Amino acid sequence: DQQVKQNSPSLSVQEGRISILNCDYTNSMFDYFLWYKKYPAEGPTFLISISSIKDKNEDGRFTVFLNKSAKHLSLHIVPSQPGDSAVYFCAAIPPNAGNMLTFGGGTRLMVKP
Amino acid sequence: NAGVMQNPRHLVRRRGQEARLRCSPMKGHSHVYWYRQLPEEGLKFMVYLQKENIIDESGMPKERFSAEFPKEGPSILRIQQVVRGDSAAYFCASSPALAGGKNIQYFGAGTRLSVL
């Protein structure tokens, strides 16, 4: 039972253009969402997060949008750079769950020079 | 300021042996989490510990797996009598005390367990 889904296993984007990574969830109790980036043979690195009381959070080139009614969030990277090539995971935390993360399956982003 | 340290990075075991994975959290972090990633899949929560306490082990297999976070020293994930299906990357994460809010988890580089 996958509560967090990333339906696109891979995405290819030209350098300088926008990358949009999508994530859907089924548990309406989730109230905090995070995006992590992962390079091969490394651990996930935190990118950006958003609370369910907001619909947008921005940090430099990264913006996360949350649509609670659709149970959907997205990560926008503008402009995309070759160094952004990695696997991106979205994750969610329900309330009163001790902070444990439920991850999606990941999307592999390839940014072409 | 050292990050989350995991060792070993790679561990090879034969079926039936024991595997011990170690995790030292970031300085000042009192919460440790273990996750497992099977090939081509996302990370799956296994266990959440604080010093000398297991807070949530709902993701741990019922048999052969155990975890501890002693008062002194690293957190240990122990897998007894390993089987080929245990081959995976095991990631440890740490966070500071929750203090009522959501805290970011910081991950180590992982231990890649291969069972022959």
Side-chain angles (χ1 to χ4, degrees):
Chain A
D1 177 28
Q2 263 193 299
Q3 297 188 69
V4 179
K5 293 183 182 180
Q6 294 175 255
N7 291 317
S8 298
S10 64
L11 174 68
S12 183
V13 170
Q14 204 67 34
E15 180 180 5
R17 307 294 282 268
I18 184 171
S19 295
I20 300 176
L21 297 105
N22 294 304
C23 180
D24 297 294
Y25 60 96
T26 56
N27 187 347
S28 58
M29 298 300 291
F30 287 138
D31 67 349
Y32 199 74
F33 303 88
L34 307 91
W35 284 94
Y36 283 83
K37 177 171 74 173
K38 187 181 180 302
Y39 294 119
E42 295 185 12
T45 302
F46 170 73
L47 272 178
I48 192 169
S49 62
I50 188 167
S51 166
S52 60
I53 62 174
K54 296 185 175 181
D55 54 19
K56 177 182 174 182
N57 188 26
E58 190 173 350
D59 184 1
R61 296 186 298 115
F62 302 91
T63 303
V64 57
F65 295 92
L66 175 62
N67 182 334
K68 288 189 291 295
S69 61
K71 297 193 185 72
H72 177 84
L73 66 155
S74 60
L75 175 68
H76 292 210
I77 307 174
V78 178
S80 301
Q81 300 172 354
D84 296 329
S85 298
V87 178
Y88 289 77
F89 292 98
C90 68
I93 305 177
N96 306 317
N99 215 37
M100 65 184 180
L101 299 170
T102 299
F103 280 90
T107 296
R108 184 178 303 278
L109 173 65
M110 291 162 284
V111 180
K112 298 179 180 177
Chain B
N1 186 17
V4 178
M5 303 300 293
Q6 289 189 250
N7 69 83
R9 290 294 307 274
H10 301 275
L11 182 61
V12 180
R13 286 287 178 267
R14 297 192 179 281
R15 281 178 295 169
Q17 292 184 319
E18 179 180 286
R20 282 188 180 231
L21 290 65
R22 295 174 188 78
C23 170
S24 296
M26 285 181 70
K27 187 176 180 180
H29 286 191
S30 56
H31 296 225
V32 166
Y33 312 80
W34 285 93
Y35 294 83
R36 176 167 64 176
Q37 184 184 25
L38 296 171
E40 306 303 321
E41 293 188 12
L43 285 74
K44 298 284 195 294
F45 167 78
M46 298 181 75
V47 62
Y48 163 37
L49 309 105
Q50 297 177 22
K51 285 283 188 182
E52 300 184 282
N53 279 308
I54 297 175
I55 307 303
D56 186 334
E57 56 182 346
S58 59
M60 288 276 270
K62 294 286 185 281
E63 297 176 348
R64 304 188 296 108
F65 285 71
S66 62
E68 62 176 6
F69 188 16
K71 187 177 180 180
E72 301 291 338
S75 175
I76 306 286
L77 179 67
R78 182 182 178 205
I79 311 172
Q80 295 178 289
Q81 299 174 332
V82 296
V83 302
R84 288 215 173 109
D86 297 333
S87 297
Y90 291 83
F91 292 96
C92 170
S94 72
S95 72
L98 296 181
K102 305 292 185 183
N103 277 310
I104 306 304
Q105 292 181 29
Y106 296 89
F107 283 80
T111 293
R112 276 143 192 87
L113 172 65
S114 297
V115 179
L116 304 180

